[in-house]
Amino acid sequence: MQVWIVFLLCLGGKALAAPATEDEVIDEVLEELPVGSNPVQVETGEFDEAIEVEEEIPSENPCLNHHCKKGKVCEVDESNTPMCVCQDPSTCPASTAEFEHVCGTDNKTYDSSCHFFATKCALEGTKKGHKLHLDYIGPCKFIAPCIDNELNEFPLRMRDWLKNVLVSLYERDEDNNMLSEKQKLRVKKIFENQKRLQAGEHSLDLLAHDFEKNYNMYIFPVHWQFGQLDQHPIDGYLSHTELAPLRAPLIPMEHCTTRFFDQCDTDNDKYIALEEWAGCFGLKEQDVDKDLVI
Ligand SMILES: *[C@@H]1O[C@H](CO)[C@@H](O)[C@H](O)[C@H]1NC(C)=O
Ligand SMILES: [Ca+2]
Ligand SMILES: [Ca+2]
């Protein structure tokens, strides 16, 4: 039941602007992110755990098998029934390194994601709590506005990066089956084509040229990434929450991240549909193919 998403973030260092967010479950995803290194490996798993799950295994402590979402802890009431209550932020382990800090959409730095979610939980039901989301990994910082020119460069690098992520997955994927056989076949082609453009720093001109020349090579990686993110639920749309595993570690490094994903949502319904996603990455409409996502 585990879906592992491994992102290798190899984008050049730049950062970004402040967004407005919505969903709730972002939390679970972000908690799973080991951060602070570049390349960053992001593992997202067990979204099922976002929901409070009660298992029917009898045990002394009813809380043992009672899972609470981030920001909550299990307590038993008078009748020994487990329930989830907001965690007191002061019970969160103190962070030991700066990269454990997170920045909220209130532009406040929280000591750790535990502190963030505990704080958010305490605000549950209030307007402030509804608006508060984890924005990005690391302490809040000044994020330069993304200017039009830079925004245009962003998909060039992002596309190249997606392709490289897939190729490195393919190279490592001997027995852990992160890619299906069908996917492997597709990536194999890209892999063999890699000789044309090795992973690494490339000038934007080169990336633009390669996209034109080897356009077909980019179709699958763009679809694949969409499928990795579109999991909760799998419906052909990315919510803010679903986008979080990609977005949150990226924002401090790429200051056009927020603007890029905002403008992807061309119909402004707060969801990025596959067509919108593909369009953002420069794929032609006729190349959008739902079957490539699965
Ligand atoms: C957010 O906080 C950082 C660090 O305190 C500050 O440099 C930055 O200007 C703030 N950003 C906004 C949008 O207020
Ligand atoms: Ca979805
Ligand atoms: Ca949309």
Side-chain angles (χ1 to χ4, degrees):
M1 282 304 219
Q2 288 187 337
V3 185
W4 296 104
I5 305 173
V6 177
F7 296 120
L8 300 165
L9 304 187
C10 305
L11 294 162
K14 284 190 180 178
L16 174 305
T21 66
E22 29 170 74
D23 294 302
E24 302 280 310
V25 203
I26 190 171
D27 320 7
E28 316 308 305
V29 189
L30 292 168
E31 186 71 349
E32 305 293 328
L33 304 181
V35 286
S37 55
N38 190 0
V40 182
Q41 268 211 343
V42 181
E43 292 174 344
T44 318
E46 297 184 44
F47 253 83
D48 322 341
E49 292 192 359
I51 304 145
E52 294 172 18
V53 183
E54 255 179 295
E55 285 171 27
E56 314 232 353
I57 303 160
S59 76
E60 299 278 323
N61 182 350
C63 272
L64 272 182
N65 294 305
H66 192 78
H67 194 277
C68 297
K69 68 172 191 173
K70 300 289 183 279
K72 295 196 171 192
V73 287
C74 181
E75 272 176 18
V76 290
D77 65 7
E78 313 82 55
S79 56
N80 211 30
T81 309
M83 51 186 223
C84 294
V85 298
C86 285
Q87 180 171 10
D88 178 349
S90 66
T91 63
C92 287
S95 64
T96 53
E98 201 182 67
F99 67 76
E100 289 176 33
H101 298 338
V102 297
C103 183
T105 46
D106 54 357
N107 200 36
K108 263 199 208 146
T109 300
Y110 294 82
D111 205 36
S112 69
S113 58
C114 173
H115 291 85
F116 173 83
F117 293 121
T119 306
K120 181 171 162 66
C121 184
L123 292 170
E124 223 166 60
T126 68
K127 206 172 160 199
K128 200 173 156 202
H130 186 69
K131 281 203 309 206
L132 180 62
H133 296 282
L134 203 159
D135 196 13
Y136 54 89
I137 308 295
C140 297
K141 59 181 194 177
F142 172 72
I143 292 179
C146 167
I147 58 170
D148 293 353
N149 257 355
E150 297 170 319
L151 186 63
N152 296 336
E153 294 170 1
F154 186 85
L156 288 174
R157 280 178 290 136
M158 184 87 183
R159 226 162 25 210
D160 187 51
W161 170 73
L162 286 180
K163 189 192 66 182
N164 294 334
V165 167
L166 253 187
V167 169
S168 57
L169 268 186
Y170 171 80
E171 287 175 299
R172 290 187 301 157
D173 193 34
E174 271 141 32
D175 36 38
N176 48 0
N177 290 317
M178 283 187 285
L179 297 171
S180 71
E181 288 309 312
K182 226 170 155 184
Q183 289 176 327
K184 274 186 204 167
L185 273 178
R186 290 186 198 283
V187 185
K188 188 161 179 271
K189 276 194 205 147
I190 303 173
F191 177 71
E192 284 159 1
N193 277 327
Q194 272 288 300
K195 285 153 218 143
R196 295 185 200 160
L197 193 60
Q198 291 294 330
E201 287 282 315
H202 297 299
S203 74
L204 294 164
D205 281 348
L206 182 63
L207 291 178
H209 179 72
D210 192 63
F211 182 61
E212 236 171 76
K213 209 174 110 211
N214 299 314
Y215 170 79
N216 287 333
M217 201 161 89
Y218 292 92
I219 296 176
F220 180 61
V222 169
H223 283 80
W224 174 81
Q225 179 66 84
F226 187 90
Q228 294 295 297
L229 297 170
D230 181 23
Q231 296 287 335
H232 312 283
I234 303 175
D235 57 1
Y237 294 91
L238 299 183
S239 64
H240 191 276
T241 300
E242 288 175 306
L243 201 53
L246 182 61
R247 207 176 153 276
L250 205 54
I251 291 178
M253 294 187 284
E254 288 277 345
H255 70 300
C256 284
T257 309
T258 299
R259 203 179 149 195
F260 176 76
F261 289 120
D262 282 353
Q263 54 107 49
C264 267
D265 178 20
T266 45
D267 65 2
N268 230 341
D269 69 349
K270 305 276 184 227
Y271 290 88
I272 299 178
L274 176 61
E275 295 74 16
E276 290 174 325
W277 174 268
C280 268
F281 286 102
L283 299 194
K284 298 170 197 146
E285 229 176 291
Q286 68 261 30
D287 295 317
V288 180
D289 181 357
K290 283 193 170 61
D291 295 337
L292 283 182
V293 170
I294 311 140

